[in-house]
Amino acid sequence: MSGTFEALWAEIAPIGRAEDGGYFRYALTEPDLVLRDWFRVQAHDRDMAVTDDGNGNLFAWWGAAWGRGAVVTGSHFDSVPHGGGYDGPLGIVSAFLAVDRLRARGIQPARPLAVAAFVEEEGGRFGVPCLGSRLLTGAIDADRAAALTDRDGVSFAEALGARPAGELPNFSGRVSAMVELHIEQGRALAGPVGVASAIWPHGRWRFDFTGDGDHAGTTRMTDRHDPMLTFAYTVLAANKEARLAGALATMARVAVTPNATNAIPSLVRGWLDARAADTPTLDALVEAVVKRAVDRAGRDGTQVVVEPESASPEVTFDATLAGRLAALLGGTPQLPTGAGHDAGVLSAHVPTAMLFVRNPSGVSHAPAERADDDDCAAGVEALATVLEDLL
Ligand code: GLV
Ligand code: MN
Ligand code: MN
């Protein structure tokens, strides 16, 4: 096997793509299952045996599965709703192509190599991002993960077909390094390829605003206890507090009960995504937003309950490894990111690095996300160079 980036990319490009170019690849739904089948075919074509860790994460092995000192590379197939096609799949396609490059060079690895596809990285379906890598490393309890539900009430265990297996015994003892290649998600990269230095701490909080459902045509304005007002104020407050803190806050998902034009809602559920360069700033930001929401609820005669749904602590990637890889790639730049990744979860357990491929527009989590074929091909070469060194 040794094809071009364009040819392999074209095989998956239509899967889960809407007419306007946005992707709907929720974990373990039809498009994701098609991608997972494609993964198995790619592995089979390369004589790579596929193992499943019982959490939904797939590994295609060149060498003995989970043999000592294994090197893992890969990313995820799932997308945010209406997302771009590169966030995730680029790392998996590039990994298979890097294997082809290494084989074409006659490399005989001294260690096993796994191409990995991690499940539910976006948390787009079950709410907790990096669910597969959290399960694998024991960072989330298997029973809690099993019980997470999607918007239709289907649990993760039901979607997976079994209770997730949870922590893989001795993961850190068996794996010597992990490298995830990913599209860069801002405009921070001038050249085709970069190396990640850090991931900002971030998390998700669910805000339940409750009030009195009533008739839009008969309830006087002064008599209302409308949770939509408290929610709307909180959206603005989150934006303002983030600006003041030099941080990021987004409320982009909302569910309204009953969601009728002519009924004051009884419940507005909104999700806060907050990120900052350091943990004290993040904690202070979230505290400030919660305080503003509670104060406003007092004025509106509504209630607010805040539930943390996921925390992704600050990640500083192994500086020695990052420096070595950057030097190997000819002194390529090192840059931090505000985006979360499975590599961030795994970095707490094994030496981990990330390669970024340039994103000319900087757009991500939206249909306009894209990378140039030439840059993607450069990413494959860079990944092959890095893997050859690690193997
Ligand atoms: C995942 O891409 C995230 O940063 O939310
Ligand atoms: Mn993403
Ligand atoms: Mn991603």
Side-chain angles (χ1 to χ4, degrees):
M1 298 281 315
S2 196
T4 61
F5 173 79
E6 290 93 321
L8 202 55
W9 192 250
E11 291 186 19
I12 65 162
I15 301 168
R17 187 173 58 195
E19 272 183 17
D20 67 358
Y23 284 86
F24 290 87
R25 291 168 167 170
Y26 287 113
L28 303 172
T29 62
E30 184 63 20
D32 188 39
L33 296 176
V34 172
L35 288 161
R36 291 163 71 84
D37 285 345
W38 175 89
F39 180 94
R40 291 177 188 281
V41 170
Q42 293 305 311
H44 179 265
D45 289 351
R46 292 169 175 80
D47 293 320
M48 299 172 79
V50 174
T51 64
D52 182 325
D53 66 352
N55 295 310
N57 303 313
L58 299 177
F59 299 87
W61 291 96
W62 180 12
W66 298 115
R68 265 201 100 66
V71 174
V72 177
T73 185
S75 193
H76 60 98
F77 282 128
D78 65 303
S79 73
V80 297
H82 207 222
Y86 290 82
D87 176 355
L90 183 62
I92 300 175
V93 168
S94 300
F96 279 122
L97 289 169
V99 168
D100 296 345
R101 299 290 181 277
L102 294 177
R103 287 179 171 174
R105 287 182 209 160
I107 304 297
Q108 305 275 346
R111 305 161 182 277
L113 173 71
V115 174
F118 295 101
V119 74
E120 179 69 341
E121 190 270 354
E122 298 289 3
R125 182 169 179 196
F126 296 102
V128 176
C130 302
L131 188 60
S133 52
R134 284 181 206 263
L135 275 163
L136 167 70
T137 56
I140 187 170
D141 178 67
D143 286 328
R144 180 178 167 226
L148 293 171
T149 51
D150 69 8
R151 294 167 208 228
D152 298 322
V154 177
S155 72
F156 180 64
E158 285 168 327
L160 192 61
R163 178 188 175 277
E167 185 173 356
L168 189 85
N170 197 23
F171 174 72
S172 52
R174 303 192 221 195
V175 174
S176 63
M178 155 76 191
V179 185
E180 179 172 1
L181 177 147
H182 203 279
I183 186 169
E184 212 271 305
Q185 293 173 287
R187 275 185 300 270
L189 203 49
V193 176
V195 174
S197 57
I199 299 179
W200 281 22
H202 56 284
R204 298 178 182 190
W205 291 261
R206 196 184 76 218
F207 285 58
D208 283 353
F209 302 93
T210 49
D212 297 341
D214 212 328
H215 195 297
T218 59
T219 314
R220 284 185 303 201
M221 298 307 281
T222 47
D223 290 346
R224 298 181 180 205
H225 302 292
D226 182 349
M228 186 64 86
L229 298 184
T230 325
F231 166 72
Y233 176 86
T234 304
V235 174
L236 297 175
N239 184 286
K240 183 165 183 183
E241 294 293 343
R243 286 165 186 265
L244 290 171
L248 303 166
T250 309
M251 294 190 84
R253 179 179 169 197
V254 60
V256 182
T257 305
N259 207 18
T261 306
N262 56 353
I264 298 161
S266 55
L267 167 67
V268 178
R269 177 168 282 176
W271 282 261
L272 170 71
D273 176 311
R275 311 184 189 218
D278 59 77
T279 307
T281 305
L282 178 64
D283 291 348
L285 167 62
V286 175
E287 196 181 313
V289 176
V290 171
K291 182 175 181 320
R292 306 259 318 245
V294 169
D295 287 353
R296 176 72 196 207
R299 297 205 292 282
D300 289 335
T302 57
Q303 300 80 42
V304 57
V305 174
V306 181
E307 193 66 45
E309 286 202 337
S310 71
S312 300
E314 185 171 354
V315 172
T316 305
F317 286 110
D318 183 321
T320 312
L321 180 60
R324 198 173 95 224
L325 301 191
L328 256 181
L329 299 175
T332 196
Q334 297 184 44
L335 57 153
T337 178
H341 300 284
D342 293 306
V345 174
L346 298 173
S347 71
H349 302 269
V350 295
T352 298
M354 289 192 76
L355 301 184
F356 287 135
V357 171
R358 174 165 54 190
N359 178 337
S361 70
V363 174
S364 189
H365 284 188
E369 175 194 272
R370 66 172 189 86
D372 290 342
D373 286 347
D374 287 350
D375 287 350
C376 294
V380 170
E381 288 305 328
L383 183 60
T385 301
V386 160
L387 292 175
E388 183 176 346
D389 178 74
L390 294 170
L391 288 167

